[in-house]
Amino acid sequence: MAFLEKYASWIVFLSALFICTSFIGWYPVYILDEARNAEAAREMYVNGDYIVPFFNGALRTDKPPLHYYFMALGYELFGISAFGARFFSGVFGALTILVTFLFARKQLGFQSASLSVVILSSSLFFVQEFHLAVPDPYLIFFVSSALFCFYEFYDSGNKKWLLWAYTGIGLGILTKGPVAIVLPGLSVFLFLILKRALNFKNVMAFRPILGVLLSLTIAIPWYYLVHEATNGEWTKGFFLDHNINRFNSGKEGHGGLFLLTPLFVFLGMLPFSIFLIQAFSKAWRERKQNDFQLFAAVVSLVTITFFSVASTKLPNYPMPCYPFIAIIIARFLREVGTNKPPFKSLKYSVFFLIFISILLPIGGYMALNLEKTLHEVRWVAFLLSVLTITSLFAGFFFKKAAYKRMILSIALGWGFMGLVLFGVIYPMFTMKSPTVLASKIIGENSDVVVYQRFDSAFPFHFNRTFTVVHTLKELEDYLAKHPHGYILTNTRNTESLLKLRQFNLIMEQKALFENHTTRIYKK
């Protein structure tokens, strides 16, 4: 035990790094957001232009550039590949778990901190986010770290924590924009209100003016340069479309009810989210005795409420609060582990987990049976029975009042399932993706023209940009110059598809779990 505590930081980081980077190079980039981010970083790397982001040669205004820079570093170290694009996402996942452990250990002790690590490491959807070449892993780290540092300043008065907090916010702004200011600002504000400490003196103690200046000094130079380089087009697209419009309206069909965000959090933190109600109830009861628990609860509720109010709702949005939710659940589970469960309702949570784990293989099989692309491999759904078995073991240990073994059984089952998911299921699924099948037809130096639109994974998969035409006349002109060229499209326009019947259809493949089909034609 002494050895574990002495080298705990290294053990946590290296274990988390293994979990967050497991099998990241075993399956191609295929999800839309991941594909666009990885490709924008590739074009930045290839072109040597680290100011203006492009996707397939067109201006991309979706996100600021910090994650592109880390992906470009990944390409430099490991080559342009899925591994290179995802590697630093995994690193920042490991760092997120590490800082959660370090701050939780300082405030709540070694056992609660260790349980926080267990909870985060076994949360499949949370771990999956660090397997993706997207900006969220970086934002999660910078925002959660900034919040931890703000609390440390509140607790100790040491100004160095403010320096780190505002630095984290500045880097968060370079990662995903204003949300990196909003979430910490609202959380600290509400926390001070609940502590009855919101007054001019206490607010000024946080050095808000100097802090904002430091954060903006980190972020503003790039925003200014991209604004100048694009004559304001990037600024307009990012702030108006991808911030204001995304908050006010359901962007790209990702709308939903207020309760959708809490549901995302529950699913995102399975399996231990089954204890959410009891854990938050305990934290609220102890709010006057434990400021750190209160702060964690405030951060969680502010984040969930903010993204519940926002019109665009996605599962990854509330993830910056997951470390704080993990701390709250860990504090609850620490008491459970003493063999004195604080709530009689504990049994309902365990039975609910068993119920979910029984449904998962059945539901997975039915879903894959409906997905024609994956019909042949629908049997992999029964690999989810690992969760069923370990959840039944958890129920057995619960009945025996062996609560530590119950917690361990749940964690091992879901942690192992993550390895199966990333190392077996995803590689098997992606063998049926349009890009993988197209690579067996289209050669490295083949001429390819896109008609109207295409699967976003193609540029990164083929390590090139594609010419895009929008009319049949443009298409015929291209083929006149490149008679052996391939026509690539995933248009859903019936009239456009009818026009393509004059060409030979040589491949047709539906995208995985998406409503579009890639078709390849030749003259």
Side-chain angles (χ1 to χ4, degrees):
M1 188 67 178
F3 174 84
L4 290 176
E5 292 198 27
K6 182 178 180 180
Y7 297 101
S9 298
W10 280 107
I11 294 171
V12 167
F13 176 73
L14 293 176
S15 300
L17 185 63
F18 168 75
I19 291 168
C20 293
T21 59
S22 56
F23 308 109
I24 56 173
W26 284 39
Y27 50 95
V29 170
Y30 69 99
I31 299 172
L32 184 146
D33 283 347
E34 188 183 23
R36 291 182 178 178
N37 283 288
E39 172 59 15
R42 185 194 72 83
E43 292 182 37
M44 202 172 255
Y45 175 69
V46 171
N47 298 331
D49 180 358
Y50 290 94
I51 301 300
V52 183
F54 294 95
F55 173 76
N56 199 50
L59 178 66
R60 186 169 199 263
T61 63
D62 296 50
K63 299 294 183 293
L66 191 61
H67 66 298
Y68 299 145
Y69 296 162
F70 280 103
M71 289 184 207
L73 179 58
Y75 299 153
E76 179 67 22
L77 294 174
F78 308 111
I80 298 174
S81 61
F83 186 92
R86 294 167 176 153
F87 177 73
F88 282 102
S89 291
V91 170
F92 275 86
L95 289 173
T96 300
I97 293 173
L98 175 62
V99 297
T100 303
F101 171 79
L102 293 175
F103 284 102
R105 182 175 64 177
K106 185 175 181 180
Q107 296 294 334
L108 301 175
F110 181 77
Q111 289 187 354
S112 293
S114 299
L115 282 168
S116 299
V117 171
V118 169
I119 292 164
L120 290 177
S121 299
S122 58
S123 298
L124 278 185
F125 289 104
F126 183 69
V127 171
Q128 177 181 264
E129 197 65 26
F130 298 109
H131 282 67
L132 300 176
V134 292
D136 298 276
Y138 307 88
L139 181 75
I140 293 166
F141 171 74
F142 291 128
V143 169
S144 59
S145 297
L147 284 161
F148 282 129
C149 290
F150 275 129
Y151 181 82
E152 283 300 320
F153 168 75
Y154 168 84
D155 188 50
S156 68
N158 191 329
K159 293 183 179 62
K160 74 174 183 181
W161 294 113
L162 285 181
L163 175 65
W164 287 114
Y166 288 118
T167 299
I169 288 176
L171 294 171
I173 296 170
L174 266 182
T175 301
K176 217 169 179 182
V179 69
I181 301 176
V182 174
L183 294 181
L186 289 176
S187 297
V188 172
F189 180 76
L190 181 57
F191 175 71
L192 292 176
I193 289 177
L194 293 176
K195 290 299 298 178
R196 298 182 180 178
L198 184 65
N199 55 55
F200 182 78
K201 180 182 177 181
N202 287 339
V203 170
M204 294 310 294
F206 281 86
R207 302 291 194 276
I209 298 174
L210 290 176
V212 169
L213 287 175
L214 173 59
S215 299
L216 294 181
T217 298
I218 293 170
I220 287 299
W222 178 83
Y223 280 88
Y224 172 77
L225 291 173
V226 76
H227 178 84
E228 289 294 305
T230 62
N231 294 318
E233 284 301 308
W234 189 93
T235 306
K236 179 181 176 182
F238 177 67
F239 286 101
L240 293 182
D241 191 27
H242 292 286
N243 280 271
I244 295 175
N245 289 344
R246 191 175 287 271
F247 188 85
N248 292 331
S249 59
K251 188 78 173 168
E252 298 167 348
H254 297 300
L257 298 174
F258 182 90
L259 292 175
L260 192 57
T261 297
L263 179 61
F264 285 152
V265 172
F266 176 78
L267 295 174
M269 295 206 70
L270 279 172
F272 289 103
S273 58
I274 58 170
F275 304 116
L276 265 176
I277 295 176
Q278 299 101 315
F280 269 88
S281 176
K282 174 180 170 59
W284 184 252
R285 290 199 328 270
E286 297 177 353
R287 67 189 183 280
K288 293 182 179 179
Q289 292 79 40
N290 193 313
D291 286 349
F292 189 60
Q293 281 239 99
L294 174 62
F295 184 75
V298 167
V299 171
S300 303
L301 293 174
V302 164
T303 305
I304 293 169
T305 302
F306 178 81
F307 288 113
S308 295
V309 172
S311 296
T312 302
K313 294 176 174 63
L314 286 168
N316 53 293
Y317 281 3
M319 285 187 178
C321 75
Y322 282 18
F324 299 91
I325 295 177
I327 287 169
I328 293 171
I329 297 175
R331 188 71 171 173
F332 170 77
L333 289 181
R334 183 177 178 276
E335 191 168 338
V336 170
T338 63
N339 290 343
K340 295 179 182 179
F343 286 93
K344 293 182 180 180
S345 61
L346 189 68
K347 64 180 179 182
Y348 298 116
S349 297
V350 176
F351 292 155
F352 184 63
L353 180 64
I354 294 172
F355 176 71
I356 291 174
S357 67
I358 291 173
L359 286 184
L360 280 173
I362 301 170
Y365 183 86
M366 293 174 65
L368 293 177
N369 200 44
L370 294 174
E371 185 71 21
K372 293 182 180 180
T373 303
L374 300 173
H375 192 268
E376 295 177 2
V377 295
R378 62 190 184 278
W379 60 268
V380 301
F382 293 112
L383 293 176
L384 296 173
S385 298
V386 169
L387 302 180
T388 308
I389 295 169
T390 54
S391 294
L392 289 171
F393 270 110
F396 172 78
F397 291 132
F398 171 78
K399 294 290 288 184
K400 294 292 184 180
Y403 300 114
K404 288 184 179 179
R405 292 185 179 183
M406 176 194 77
I407 294 168
L408 183 62
S409 177
I410 295 171
L412 288 177
W414 286 74
F416 179 73
M417 192 66 240
L419 298 179
V420 173
L421 188 69
F422 304 127
V424 179
I425 296 177
Y426 282 179
M428 192 174 295
F429 282 2
T430 52
M431 291 300 294
K432 301 289 186 178
S433 69
T435 51
V436 170
L437 296 179
S439 64
K440 299 175 182 179
I441 298 172
I442 300 174
E444 183 179 346
N445 299 314
S446 299
D447 295 318
V448 181
V449 61
V450 171
Y451 181 58
Q452 296 185 350
R453 48 172 284 170
F454 65 126
D455 188 317
S456 295
F458 271 85
F460 184 78
H461 189 87
F462 282 87
N463 197 15
R464 61 194 285 192
T465 57
F466 294 94
T467 300
V468 181
V469 299
H470 297 279
T471 67
L472 187 62
K473 177 66 167 59
E474 291 175 312
L475 180 59
E476 291 171 343
D477 289 344
Y478 179 92
L479 293 176
K481 297 177 181 178
H482 308 89
H484 300 292
Y486 293 89
I487 304 166
L488 172 67
T489 187
N490 72 346
T491 183
R492 291 190 285 255
N493 185 289
T494 304
E495 184 179 345
S496 297
L497 290 173
L498 287 173
K499 293 178 180 178
L500 291 175
R501 284 188 174 182
Q502 61 183 290
F503 304 104
N504 296 316
L505 178 64
I506 59 175
M507 193 198 95
E508 184 175 28
Q509 184 72 3
K510 182 182 177 298
L512 302 176
F513 304 110
E514 293 187 38
N515 188 29
H516 61 81
T517 299
T518 290
R519 296 176 175 86
I520 300 177
Y521 299 84
K522 284 207 76 174
K523 191 173 180 180

PDB file of all heavy atoms in Angstrom, residues 257-269:
ATOM      1  N   LEU A 257     -35.031  17.916 -26.106  1.00  0.00           N
ATOM      2  CA  LEU A 257     -35.633  18.423 -24.891  1.00  0.00           C
ATOM      3  C   LEU A 257     -34.577  18.772 -23.841  1.00  0.00           C
ATOM      4  O   LEU A 257     -33.438  18.311 -23.908  1.00  0.00           O
ATOM      5  CB  LEU A 257     -36.592  17.376 -24.317  1.00  0.00           C
ATOM      6  CG  LEU A 257     -37.793  16.984 -25.195  1.00  0.00           C
ATOM      7  CD1 LEU A 257     -38.548  15.830 -24.554  1.00  0.00           C
ATOM      8  CD2 LEU A 257     -38.712  18.183 -25.412  1.00  0.00           C
ATOM      9  N   PHE A 258     -35.007  19.544 -22.852  1.00  0.00           N
ATOM     10  CA  PHE A 258     -34.144  19.956 -21.748  1.00  0.00           C
ATOM     11  C   PHE A 258     -33.503  18.748 -21.066  1.00  0.00           C
ATOM     12  O   PHE A 258     -32.335  18.778 -20.673  1.00  0.00           O
ATOM     13  CB  PHE A 258     -34.974  20.758 -20.743  1.00  0.00           C
ATOM     14  CG  PHE A 258     -34.195  21.286 -19.576  1.00  0.00           C
ATOM     15  CD1 PHE A 258     -33.589  22.535 -19.627  1.00  0.00           C
ATOM     16  CD2 PHE A 258     -34.066  20.535 -18.412  1.00  0.00           C
ATOM     17  CE1 PHE A 258     -32.871  23.030 -18.551  1.00  0.00           C
ATOM     18  CE2 PHE A 258     -33.351  21.016 -17.325  1.00  0.00           C
ATOM     19  CZ  PHE A 258     -32.756  22.268 -17.400  1.00  0.00           C
ATOM     20  N   LEU A 259     -34.255  17.669 -20.923  1.00  0.00           N
ATOM     21  CA  LEU A 259     -33.781  16.494 -20.191  1.00  0.00           C
ATOM     22  C   LEU A 259     -32.765  15.660 -20.962  1.00  0.00           C
ATOM     23  O   LEU A 259     -32.193  14.713 -20.409  1.00  0.00           O
ATOM     24  CB  LEU A 259     -34.976  15.607 -19.812  1.00  0.00           C
ATOM     25  CG  LEU A 259     -35.949  16.188 -18.780  1.00  0.00           C
ATOM     26  CD1 LEU A 259     -37.130  15.259 -18.596  1.00  0.00           C
ATOM     27  CD2 LEU A 259     -35.240  16.426 -17.453  1.00  0.00           C
ATOM     28  N   LEU A 260     -32.526  16.010 -22.217  1.00  0.00           N
ATOM     29  CA  LEU A 260     -31.598  15.213 -23.020  1.00  0.00           C
ATOM     30  C   LEU A 260     -30.174  15.287 -22.473  1.00  0.00           C
ATOM     31  O   LEU A 260     -29.460  14.275 -22.450  1.00  0.00           O
ATOM     32  CB  LEU A 260     -31.634  15.691 -24.480  1.00  0.00           C
ATOM     33  CG  LEU A 260     -30.940  14.785 -25.501  1.00  0.00           C
ATOM     34  CD1 LEU A 260     -31.525  13.387 -25.475  1.00  0.00           C
ATOM     35  CD2 LEU A 260     -31.065  15.384 -26.903  1.00  0.00           C
ATOM     36  N   THR A 261     -29.759  16.469 -22.018  1.00  0.00           N
ATOM     37  CA  THR A 261     -28.395  16.605 -21.488  1.00  0.00           C
ATOM     38  C   THR A 261     -28.185  15.775 -20.220  1.00  0.00           C
ATOM     39  O   THR A 261     -27.174  15.061 -20.118  1.00  0.00           O
ATOM     40  CB  THR A 261     -28.057  18.085 -21.241  1.00  0.00           C
ATOM     41  OG1 THR A 261     -28.079  18.787 -22.489  1.00  0.00           O
ATOM     42  CG2 THR A 261     -26.668  18.233 -20.625  1.00  0.00           C
ATOM     43  N   PRO A 262     -29.096  15.830 -19.218  1.00  0.00           N
ATOM     44  CA  PRO A 262     -28.921  14.922 -18.071  1.00  0.00           C
ATOM     45  C   PRO A 262     -28.872  13.448 -18.482  1.00  0.00           C
ATOM     46  O   PRO A 262     -28.130  12.663 -17.874  1.00  0.00           O
ATOM     47  CB  PRO A 262     -30.152  15.219 -17.201  1.00  0.00           C
ATOM     48  CG  PRO A 262     -30.532  16.615 -17.552  1.00  0.00           C
ATOM     49  CD  PRO A 262     -30.221  16.764 -19.017  1.00  0.00           C
ATOM     50  N   LEU A 263     -29.645  13.095 -19.503  1.00  0.00           N
ATOM     51  CA  LEU A 263     -29.615  11.714 -19.990  1.00  0.00           C
ATOM     52  C   LEU A 263     -28.252  11.380 -20.579  1.00  0.00           C
ATOM     53  O   LEU A 263     -27.706  10.290 -20.344  1.00  0.00           O
ATOM     54  CB  LEU A 263     -30.706  11.494 -21.037  1.00  0.00           C
ATOM     55  CG  LEU A 263     -30.770  10.091 -21.660  1.00  0.00           C
ATOM     56  CD1 LEU A 263     -31.039   9.034 -20.594  1.00  0.00           C
ATOM     57  CD2 LEU A 263     -31.838  10.039 -22.758  1.00  0.00           C
ATOM     58  N   PHE A 264     -27.675  12.331 -21.339  1.00  0.00           N
ATOM     59  CA  PHE A 264     -26.320  12.136 -21.875  1.00  0.00           C
ATOM     60  C   PHE A 264     -25.320  11.895 -20.748  1.00  0.00           C
ATOM     61  O   PHE A 264     -24.429  11.047 -20.857  1.00  0.00           O
ATOM     62  CB  PHE A 264     -25.882  13.356 -22.687  1.00  0.00           C
ATOM     63  CG  PHE A 264     -26.517  13.467 -24.044  1.00  0.00           C
ATOM     64  CD1 PHE A 264     -26.705  14.707 -24.642  1.00  0.00           C
ATOM     65  CD2 PHE A 264     -26.913  12.340 -24.747  1.00  0.00           C
ATOM     66  CE1 PHE A 264     -27.277  14.820 -25.895  1.00  0.00           C
ATOM     67  CE2 PHE A 264     -27.493  12.444 -26.012  1.00  0.00           C
ATOM     68  CZ  PHE A 264     -27.676  13.688 -26.586  1.00  0.00           C
ATOM     69  N   VAL A 265     -25.459  12.660 -19.669  1.00  0.00           N
ATOM     70  CA  VAL A 265     -24.542  12.519 -18.539  1.00  0.00           C
ATOM     71  C   VAL A 265     -24.699  11.148 -17.898  1.00  0.00           C
ATOM     72  O   VAL A 265     -23.705  10.474 -17.588  1.00  0.00           O
ATOM     73  CB  VAL A 265     -24.773  13.638 -17.503  1.00  0.00           C
ATOM     74  CG1 VAL A 265     -23.956  13.388 -16.240  1.00  0.00           C
ATOM     75  CG2 VAL A 265     -24.415  14.995 -18.102  1.00  0.00           C
ATOM     76  N   PHE A 266     -25.933  10.725 -17.712  1.00  0.00           N
ATOM     77  CA  PHE A 266     -26.173   9.408 -17.116  1.00  0.00           C
ATOM     78  C   PHE A 266     -25.556   8.305 -17.967  1.00  0.00           C
ATOM     79  O   PHE A 266     -24.845   7.426 -17.456  1.00  0.00           O
ATOM     80  CB  PHE A 266     -27.674   9.170 -16.949  1.00  0.00           C
ATOM     81  CG  PHE A 266     -28.004   7.796 -16.431  1.00  0.00           C
ATOM     82  CD1 PHE A 266     -27.867   7.501 -15.080  1.00  0.00           C
ATOM     83  CD2 PHE A 266     -28.428   6.793 -17.298  1.00  0.00           C
ATOM     84  CE1 PHE A 266     -28.143   6.224 -14.608  1.00  0.00           C
ATOM     85  CE2 PHE A 266     -28.712   5.515 -16.828  1.00  0.00           C
ATOM     86  CZ  PHE A 266     -28.564   5.234 -15.481  1.00  0.00           C
ATOM     87  N   LEU A 267     -25.811   8.339 -19.272  1.00  0.00           N
ATOM     88  CA  LEU A 267     -25.267   7.320 -20.161  1.00  0.00           C
ATOM     89  C   LEU A 267     -23.748   7.439 -20.265  1.00  0.00           C
ATOM     90  O   LEU A 267     -23.031   6.430 -20.311  1.00  0.00           O
ATOM     91  CB  LEU A 267     -25.898   7.448 -21.556  1.00  0.00           C
ATOM     92  CG  LEU A 267     -27.394   7.171 -21.653  1.00  0.00           C
ATOM     93  CD1 LEU A 267     -27.907   7.472 -23.054  1.00  0.00           C
ATOM     94  CD2 LEU A 267     -27.708   5.725 -21.272  1.00  0.00           C
ATOM     95  N   GLY A 268     -23.260   8.681 -20.286  1.00  0.00           N
ATOM     96  CA  GLY A 268     -21.828   8.912 -20.463  1.00  0.00           C
ATOM     97  C   GLY A 268     -20.996   8.449 -19.289  1.00  0.00           C
ATOM     98  O   GLY A 268     -19.813   8.147 -19.448  1.00  0.00           O
ATOM     99  N   MET A 269     -21.610   8.373 -18.096  1.00  0.00           N
ATOM    100  CA  MET A 269     -20.864   7.968 -16.918  1.00  0.00           C
ATOM    101  C   MET A 269     -21.254   6.587 -16.405  1.00  0.00           C
ATOM    102  O   MET A 269     -20.910   6.214 -15.276  1.00  0.00           O
ATOM    103  CB  MET A 269     -21.013   9.011 -15.810  1.00  0.00           C
ATOM    104  CG  MET A 269     -20.393  10.345 -16.172  1.00  0.00           C
ATOM    105  SD  MET A 269     -19.871  11.305 -14.736  1.00  0.00           S
ATOM    106  CE  MET A 269     -18.453  10.348 -14.157  1.00  0.00           C
TER     107      MET A 269
END
